[in-house]
Amino acid sequence: MSWKRSERLIDMTNYLLNHPRDLISLTFFSERYQAAKSSISEDLTILKEIFDLQGIGKLVTIPGASGGVKYYVKVKQDLVKPFVADLCQLIAEPDRLLPGGYLYLADIVGNPMIMDQVGRMFASKFCDEPIDAVMTVATKGIPLAYATARFLNVPVVIVRKDAKITEGSTVSINYVTGSSKRIQTMLLAKKSLKEGSRVLIVDDFMKAGGTIRGMISLLDEFQASYAGIAVLVESEEVEDRLVDQYISIVKLSNVDVQEKRISVHEGNYFTK
Amino acid sequence: MSWKRSERLIDMTNYLLNHPRDLISLTFFSERYQAAKSSISEDLTILKEIFDLQGIGKLVTIPGASGGVKYYVKVKQDLVKPFVADLCQLIAEPDRLLPGGYLYLADIVGNPMIMDQVGRMFASKFCDEPIDAVMTVATKGIPLAYATARFLNVPVVIVRKDAKITEGSTVSINYVTGSSKRIQTMLLAKKSLKEGSRVLIVDDFMKAGGTIRGMISLLDEFQASYAGIAVLVESEEVEDRLVDQYISIVKLSNVDVQEKRISVHEGNYFTK
């Protein structure tokens, strides 16, 4: 089959979206569509323009014999702002408040379209950095970690608070929870993270940051480091937070469990 | 801005991929691109052909004033067969075997590209059915449930084996594990599933099927029903399986933990 431009553009869009941060050679596309490299180059110019305009991402062309094209997920601030405003409204529903100042977020975390959009925003923020894996702690951070990892094209590493037989041998650490000052354990399968990895830490909710500090300690055990910390919701009611470098999509303040009152605002995503 | 066909096709591809099973009116596209509906119809004809050819999915046009177009994820068997063959090889690595005939799958479950492809295959199988949610049990089933739910455009519901304060009130049931015949508990937040829902059950690994039977019992408590059961890996070494209607991508047999031997084949996905 000989491909027309219109047909190539459809398939190339799908292909690029499914291969973020992979280097794709012009030869690959040229052979896939039986088209001259000059035609493929012209296709890429059109793709680049629309990807940029619509906040789909950026296409970077690497010249030379070993070159090609790379697609990076990159959102546009003005296109995601309304999404964050809607999310704030959704989170502000007063019956989400649970004892201890926690929030019911299962419906939000269970919504793949919301997770996708937040994952896109996180990936966008770190698209230019070398990242080897996304790490989170079971259970509620998993969908978000997975969504982010998909757009960064790296594996997800899941830290647990209980040992499971199906993980093989594990490395464990103790950590102090920030809010209640209890000592807890978290563990990670030995096989699941390579030494020296650069890791993006993702979680759904951060209060004092004890859990995230725990993950950072665990990274030390693997001689790994963190490239960044990204949370969906941060709760502002904290005097000494254990973590200070992070991005958040949504920020809670004035949490009053008794009065069932809560203030919800944009997090620091757009300012950091 | 006035959009050219080539530009529209790129943006439409991205838009459709992000909105599976949503009804999108021609008016929406027509206004988005300042183009005549007849031009949009022609665009859709090209999209339909390439989506079908490349196993991206099927586009269904609904005629009439309240009509529009729906994108369904639909894979092509001959395009996913090599993926399943590669997956079998990956799973056949002998050092995956763990005590009790379990398998180390964390790297596979942690690979978003593999999860995506399996999610696509599951969604494809159930694309024509009314499904309200995808259900799984924490922890390892979550990435797969999420990937499947994304392609079906429905929420994920996560069953837990331990109560968490952040879930509010829960419904719990006791169930008997199929392999070891122990009694265990699983629970689900009351808010997380609507009465009468039709649910697709997804998990990473099935031996005797006790966990899946547990989820089915839990559905009863919510007056909900299951539309299907989909697992990544089934282990064949079972005399009386507790579940008989399911699809699987990969099937294990001849599991010999002592000899570190295992046979891995295609599951029933292509024959069911």
Side-chain angles (χ1 to χ4, degrees), chain B residues 22-47:
Chain B
D22 269 355
L23 180 65
I24 306 154
S25 69
L26 295 202
T27 310
F28 172 81
F29 281 136
S30 167
E31 286 171 359
R32 188 176 175 99
Y33 307 121
Q34 299 292 307
K37 281 193 191 175
S38 57
S39 301
I40 300 294
S41 280
E42 285 166 32
D43 295 345
L44 289 172
T45 305
I46 307 171
L47 281 159

Side-chain angles (χ1 to χ4, degrees), chain B residues 9-75:
Chain B
L9 289 174
I10 295 167
D11 190 62
M12 284 169 97
T13 300
N14 180 57
Y15 192 90
L16 289 165
L17 292 177
N18 285 326
H19 295 83
R21 305 213 307 175
D22 269 355
L23 180 65
I24 306 154
S25 69
L26 295 202
T27 310
F28 172 81
F29 281 136
S30 167
E31 286 171 359
R32 188 176 175 99
Y33 307 121
Q34 299 292 307
K37 281 193 191 175
S38 57
S39 301
I40 300 294
S41 280
E42 285 166 32
D43 295 345
L44 289 172
T45 305
I46 307 171
L47 281 159
K48 191 176 179 145
E49 188 195 317
I50 300 299
F51 273 35
D52 178 55
L53 179 74
Q54 296 297 86
I56 301 171
K58 62 175 182 180
L59 287 189
V60 175
T61 317
I62 293 117
S66 62
V69 63
K70 276 191 184 189
Y71 158 60
Y72 295 91
V73 172
K74 189 89 193 155
V75 300

Side-chain angles (χ1 to χ4, degrees), chain B residues 67-133:
Chain B
V69 63
K70 276 191 184 189
Y71 158 60
Y72 295 91
V73 172
K74 189 89 193 155
V75 300
K76 274 185 130 165
Q77 291 222 358
D78 56 325
L79 294 178
V80 290
K81 279 233 172 195
F83 162 79
V84 175
D86 288 351
L87 192 58
C88 286
Q89 243 187 326
L90 192 61
I91 291 178
E93 292 166 356
D95 57 352
R96 292 191 177 274
L97 263 177
L98 295 169
Y102 287 93
L103 270 197
Y104 179 83
L105 290 174
D107 59 330
I108 289 168
V109 162
N111 183 319
M113 295 306 159
I114 295 179
M115 289 300 97
D116 244 41
Q117 187 67 322
V118 177
R120 219 173 257 126
M121 290 174 70
F122 286 169
S124 181
K125 212 68 166 185
F126 294 95
C127 70
D128 293 324
E129 300 212 24
I131 287 176
D132 303 303

Side-chain angles (χ1 to χ4, degrees), chain A residues 6 11 18 32 54 95 98 104 110 112-113 115-116 120 139-140 142 146-147 150 153-156 166 191, chain B residues 11 18 32 54 95 98 104 110 112-113 115-116 120 139-140 142 146-147 150 153-156 166 191:
Chain A
S6 57
D11 190 62
N18 286 326
R32 187 176 175 99
Q54 298 296 85
D95 58 350
L98 295 169
Y104 179 83
M113 296 305 160
M115 290 300 96
D116 244 41
R120 219 173 259 126
T139 309
K140 292 220 304 301
I142 300 176
Y146 176 84
R150 184 175 175 276
N153 205 350
V154 296
V156 178
T166 50
K191 285 187 196 176
Chain B
D11 190 62
N18 285 326
R32 188 176 175 99
Q54 296 297 86
D95 57 352
L98 295 169
Y104 179 83
M113 295 306 159
M115 289 300 97
D116 244 41
R120 219 173 257 126
T139 310
K140 293 222 303 300
I142 298 176
Y146 176 84
R150 185 176 174 277
N153 204 350
V154 296
V156 178
T166 51
K191 287 188 196 175

